[in-house]
Amino acid sequence: MRNINEDTITQAVIASFSDCRDGRLRTVMTSLVQHLHAFARDVHLTEDEWFKAIRFLTEVGHITDDKRQEFILLSDTLGLSMLVMSQNNRKPSNCTEATVFGPFYVEGAPLYNNGEDISNGAKGAPCYVSGQVRGAGGEAIPDAQIDVWQSDEDGFYDVQHLDEAGNVIHRARGRLKGDAEGFFNFRSILAEAYPIPHDGPVGRMLAAVGRHPWRPAHLHFMIEAPGYETLITHVFRDGDKYLESDVVFGVRSTLIAEWKRHEPGVAPDGWEIDVPWYSLEYDFVLNPSEAHA
């Protein structure tokens, strides 16, 4: 290990992994070192730039907590999240495409029955959402568990709001089940475009490279059913001006749908609405798991 120089250090670091018993870990670490060193050589990284990078990553860690995941934002905005997701979620063409998870999923979301209002007072125009969960063969999937979450009309998720006691009140977020034929419906609010949190290091990075922080309007869905792969996806609102420049590169054309505008009246479930309202109908097709295929 003596007299290592810039030409020999890469192989020296790789050789240090020789006793690693985890073959996959050794493969990943070897490639990581090779690419990191190649990057440093390619751009002739300066010490000042390296220290700035360390400071940036430190700031990303400091702002991250149980309500804000800056590392996910960083991965999302660099396209890494979508790349990893795409590599690991290849599906038949008739199945609903997956997209990024995002940093605002919450485990243990409030439970709702079909037809109930998940908005719980969130700001936004009323919206009626319905659809069906099916398998790739066209079969209805009964009792699928459906997690849904979205921002309010101001572009904030519930976890970004705290009450006077510092607690989160869950709004525009819920978990429900499809019925015996796979159908589901719920009441919520209209999806609106919003910026990702950009008051931290990731936001400063975006500004430095001349990028905006906006995401097109969408609903998040996570759908689980025995015998099928879990689907994590969005449904995007057609016509949104950020569809072609989503800051996290998550848009897929098959995931774009129309939110229909209606004058005051009655929704399909009998919900009487005295202001203009919207409806979204979207079906999801799940891929069978290997054990079920």
Side-chain angles (χ1 to χ4, degrees):
M1 299 290 284
R2 297 183 182 183
N3 302 320
I4 291 174
N5 59 35
E6 64 181 277
D7 297 317
T8 60
I9 190 168
T10 302
Q11 288 306 313
V13 176
I14 291 172
S16 73
F17 303 146
S18 61
D19 291 334
C20 178
R21 296 181 179 179
D22 186 327
R24 176 60 180 171
L25 176 60
R26 186 169 60 251
T27 296
V28 170
M29 291 299 297
T30 296
S31 184
L32 176 64
V33 168
Q34 287 174 327
H35 284 82
L36 279 176
H37 287 209
F39 160 73
R41 291 186 176 100
D42 183 46
V43 302
H44 197 79
L45 193 67
T46 68
E47 290 180 272
D48 181 59
E49 290 166 340
W50 176 68
F51 278 117
K52 285 179 179 178
I54 295 296
R55 185 164 63 246
F56 171 76
L57 291 175
T58 301
E59 291 170 353
V60 170
H62 285 169
I63 202 172
T64 297
D65 57 24
D66 60 345
K67 298 186 174 60
R68 174 166 178 166
Q69 233 304 350
E70 196 80 357
F71 277 107
I72 290 180
L73 285 179
L74 178 59
S75 175
D76 288 351
T77 56
L78 294 179
L80 181 60
S81 297
M82 272 302 296
L83 173 59
V84 173
M85 185 284 305
S86 298
Q87 290 182 149
N88 289 276
N89 286 274
R90 298 186 180 99
K91 304 177 187 298
S93 60
N94 63 327
C95 291
T96 303
E97 291 188 270
T99 190
V100 290
F101 204 24
F104 295 117
Y105 170 74
V106 172
E107 291 188 9
L111 299 176
Y112 290 92
N113 294 318
N114 257 319
E116 291 189 320
D117 184 0
I118 74 165
S119 66
N120 192 27
K123 295 170 61 179
C127 184
Y128 175 80
V129 181
S130 62
Q132 185 186 26
V133 181
R134 303 190 302 270
E139 71 280 9
I141 300 177
D143 304 320
Q145 180 173 281
I146 304 166
D147 272 89
V148 59
W149 63 104
Q150 67 176 109
S151 70
D152 61 22
E153 69 177 9
D154 293 328
F156 294 103
Y157 287 80
D158 52 5
V159 293
Q160 296 174 280
H161 292 293
L162 300 178
D163 63 18
E164 294 181 356
N167 299 315
V168 171
I169 298 175
H170 288 308
R171 294 189 171 99
R173 179 189 304 275
R175 173 177 290 184
L176 61 150
K177 281 190 174 183
D179 66 17
E181 297 299 322
F183 290 102
F184 66 90
N185 66 90
F186 59 90
R187 305 172 186 179
S188 189
I189 55 174
L190 177 65
E192 300 278 9
Y194 66 87
I196 64 168
H198 57 287
D199 57 341
V202 171
R204 293 193 293 275
M205 180 271 291
L206 291 174
V209 298
R211 289 174 57 191
H212 69 70
W214 286 84
R215 297 218 64 201
H218 60 273
L219 283 178
H220 292 263
F221 286 89
M222 182 169 73
I223 303 177
E224 301 172 273
Y228 295 87
E229 295 177 358
T230 295
L231 173 66
I232 296 170
T233 195
H234 304 1
V235 179
F236 294 92
R237 185 177 165 193
D238 193 18
D240 192 286
K241 67 179 182 179
Y242 295 110
L243 287 172
E244 301 299 329
S245 61
D246 179 13
V247 68
V248 307
F249 310 98
V251 178
R252 296 292 181 266
S253 60
T254 61
L255 301 178
I256 299 173
E258 180 185 6
W259 266 252
K260 296 180 180 179
R261 186 182 186 277
H262 307 272
E263 295 303 319
V266 181
D269 66 345
W271 179 22
E272 295 186 4
I273 311 173
D274 58 5
V275 296
W277 59 284
Y278 293 79
S279 64
L280 167 68
E281 183 176 356
Y282 193 89
D283 295 341
F284 297 91
V285 180
L286 305 189
N287 193 35
S289 62
E290 291 185 6
H292 187 70

